[in-house]
Amino acid sequence: PSNRKRVMSDDTVSIRDFFRFDLCGKRVLSFLTAKDALSFARTSKENKDASCLSILDPVKLHDGTVPWYGSYATGDNKYRWKEIHMPVTSHTHSVQFSCIWKDQGSGDRKGRLYIAGSCKSKGSFRDDDVVCCTHSDAEHEYQPLRLRFVPEEGKRYFVWYKVGGGGGHELFLRNPVVHSLIYDNYEGYLVRQQRALVAKGAYGDAPLFPLLLRAVALYAQCSFADDGESMIHKSIAGALEDLGLSTSNKNAMDALVVLASSMSNAVRDEEPGNNDGDYMTYDSY
């Protein structure tokens, strides 16, 4: 018994040990909501550093108001609007889609929103794919809405909507944005690099930019010697720094490659014609 007691005392496992051997605590923190995970990280500097949790800058899905109009016959159908491109799926704890929304302002309420995840880029709406949705119909006046989900690697996530059939039904969204809570195990450079990209509008509708950025980032990533010394050509480093991006060390470049790869994959996977114009159409009543 005395030996047993001594072994247990000597082999005490701390919270920090859990995180160090658990890939930044992803397995432990995955059981907590975003609010609880952040609360845990704030309990001490040690837990904050060990958990690696950070919040990326919000990414806009659309500027201004998105209007949808339901026809008499097909208004109860679900239609796909837009894909939620996450900056770093494999490093993400959870995602929040937020906006304000309302219906036509009077009469029956029928508007709903859904977020569905699938391994396929095409296909019709399936209830089994829904990861979160509104549990009540849109109100007559603008109300805040937040939908949260935990993304899975290999899946793509889309916002779907239902306006409502029977004639006269409308649905409006304003300021839809996506917030991501991530594990930044690149010494904070995922957040810093993503913040610079957001500030420069890199998550807009310019498909060539992510492809070029990834090519440059991969080149720069390979330009570090084994001792960590940067061998990046001055013109390349200057171009990246003009965008507000850090080229100071390999962690910074590794983080940029992760972000740029995610952006370029989203561009390559985007289906031709899938833009706001396809969805913001007037259906005849």
Side-chain angles (χ1 to χ4, degrees):
S2 59
N3 288 340
R4 187 177 184 183
K5 194 175 292 185
R6 179 180 59 79
V7 169
M8 289 179 67
S9 176
D10 291 347
D11 292 350
T12 300
V13 178
S14 68
I15 290 292
R16 187 173 182 83
D17 293 328
F18 261 112
F19 284 106
R20 186 166 64 248
F21 294 108
D22 185 33
L23 299 176
C24 292
K26 287 170 69 173
R27 198 171 295 112
V28 174
L29 293 175
S30 66
F31 292 98
L32 302 179
T33 65
K35 182 179 179 180
D36 289 341
L38 286 170
S39 295
F40 170 80
R42 293 185 184 117
T43 55
S44 70
K45 185 179 185 304
E46 182 182 48
N47 288 342
K48 181 179 184 298
D49 293 341
S51 65
C52 304
L53 283 173
S54 295
I55 301 174
L56 292 179
D57 274 21
V59 176
K60 287 184 180 180
L61 291 186
H62 184 84
D63 285 316
T65 302
V66 183
W68 293 308
Y69 305 86
S71 71
Y72 182 90
T74 63
D76 285 326
N77 294 344
K78 282 103 171 175
Y79 295 97
R80 199 177 81 184
W81 174 47
K82 185 170 280 193
E83 181 169 4
I84 297 176
H85 292 306
M86 283 158 289
V88 282
T89 307
S90 61
H91 296 268
T92 301
H93 173 277
S94 53
V95 176
Q96 176 180 282
F97 167 86
S98 62
C99 66
I100 58 173
W101 71 318
K102 76 178 191 74
D103 68 4
Q104 67 280 352
S106 62
D108 292 339
R109 297 187 295 117
K110 294 186 178 182
R112 292 285 182 110
L113 288 178
Y114 312 82
I115 294 177
S118 174
C119 297
K120 301 177 181 178
S121 61
K122 298 181 180 179
S124 57
F125 182 88
R126 295 176 66 250
D127 287 332
D128 289 344
D129 292 335
V130 175
V131 294
C132 56
C133 64
T134 56
H135 295 293
S136 59
D137 300 319
E139 300 284 349
H140 293 329
E141 301 294 334
Y142 275 113
Q143 299 292 331
L145 171 66
R146 295 182 181 88
L147 297 176
R148 301 179 181 90
F149 65 97
V150 177
E152 296 180 35
E153 273 194 83
K155 285 193 175 183
R156 298 171 63 181
Y157 294 87
F158 298 87
V159 179
W160 293 71
Y161 67 91
K162 181 193 76 172
V163 179
H169 291 283
E170 303 171 359
L171 191 60
F172 301 93
L173 261 67
R174 279 186 183 172
N175 307 322
V177 296
V178 175
H179 294 80
S180 297
L181 178 63
I182 66 161
Y183 306 102
D184 190 347
N185 52 334
Y186 293 93
E187 296 185 354
Y189 279 102
L190 272 177
V191 168
R192 295 183 217 177
Q193 304 287 54
Q194 190 262 355
R195 182 175 297 135
L197 291 172
V198 169
K200 294 295 183 180
Y203 290 92
D205 296 322
L208 186 59
F209 178 80
L211 301 176
L212 292 174
L213 179 64
R214 182 174 184 273
V216 172
L218 284 170
Y219 163 79
Q221 183 189 42
C222 297
S223 300
F224 281 87
D226 293 339
D227 61 0
E229 182 183 356
S230 174
M231 308 292 288
I232 304 174
H233 194 278
K234 289 182 179 180
S235 62
I236 298 295
L240 292 173
E241 288 166 3
D242 285 345
L243 292 172
L245 298 166
S246 173
T247 61
S248 60
N249 56 59
K250 195 169 185 302
N251 267 322
M253 296 320 305
D254 289 345
L256 182 58
V257 168
V258 170
L259 292 166
S261 297
S262 177
M263 293 168 66
S264 62
N265 288 339
V267 169
R268 284 200 299 268
D269 291 341
E270 192 68 43
E271 299 171 52
N274 271 10
N275 53 45
D276 291 341
D278 293 321
Y279 303 102
M280 291 160 45
T281 57
Y282 288 79
D283 291 337
S284 58
Y285 294 132

